[in-house]
Amino acid sequence: VKGEPVTGFENGKVYVVEFWATWCGPCITTIPHLSELQKKLGDKVTMIGVSVWENDQSKVVPFVEEMGAKMAYRVAMDDMSEKGGYMANNWMKAAKQNGIPTAFVIDKAGTVAWIGHPMAGLDEVVEKVIDGTFDPKKAAEEAKAKAENEKKAADEMKKVQKVTREM
């Protein structure tokens, strides 16, 4: 849709593949941030926004054109020849991600180093991946612990709500 196509991940390069949709308010909010990050890091990173889960793909090109310089990175649309979308199935679903915006950071070896919300640590992660100081195992452990804590908190909240309803 915009920018030079990326046909594969080159060894030694860092990529951010960010999933979004035209109808997603939080996705639209992250666009200027991603543009600033691309400008700041220049050719140290290749930022790719991929439109997924679009009900009407004909809205994507006009949306990107309207965004103009506010969307200063490569943009692609999901290939809908596969039911549900190729990228949605092989990236989002495969990584058990069910919400957007979601960013994947691909390290210099071509592996997924980090998955998360673009406004929740992406800048720091990308900079560390670029300079070789990012520890994906530690990040995965931290993400797992956070998810477990959030689940415990949600379970406790359900108990409180049940008691409150019974009063």
Side-chain angles (χ1 to χ4, degrees), residues 83-120:
K83 186 179 178 187
Y86 179 85
M87 295 296 285
N89 286 323
N90 292 286
W91 284 70
M92 295 291 290
K93 187 176 180 181
K96 297 180 175 62
Q97 300 298 305
N98 56 10
I100 51 176
T102 297
F104 289 68
V105 177
I106 313 304
D107 66 18
K108 293 177 182 180
T111 59
V112 176
W114 183 85
I115 302 170
H117 192 287
M119 302 297 276

Side-chain angles (χ1 to χ4, degrees), residues 17-61:
V17 180
E18 189 262 347
F19 293 90
W20 66 283
T22 59
W23 49 263
C24 171
C27 299
I28 295 166
T29 301
T30 65
I31 290 170
H33 176 79
L34 295 170
S35 294
E36 288 174 26
L37 184 61
Q38 178 68 78
K39 286 178 188 175
K40 175 183 171 186
L41 297 174
D43 62 2
K44 293 178 184 174
V45 66
T46 300
M47 187 85 56
I48 309 161
V50 180
S51 171
V52 294
W53 301 332
E54 292 288 351
N55 296 326
D56 182 359
Q57 283 194 307
S58 71
K59 294 180 178 182
V60 177
V61 172

Side-chain angles (χ1 to χ4, degrees), residues 1-11 13-18 38 45-50 73-77 86-87 91 106:
V1 174
K2 182 176 184 176
E4 293 296 317
V6 175
T7 57
F9 298 127
E10 292 181 41
N11 232 3
K13 291 193 174 187
V14 175
Y15 297 84
V16 173
V17 180
E18 189 262 347
Q38 178 68 78
V45 66
T46 300
M47 187 85 56
I48 309 161
V50 180
Y73 48 90
R74 290 172 170 87
V75 181
M77 286 192 311
Y86 179 85
M87 295 296 285
W91 284 70
I106 313 304

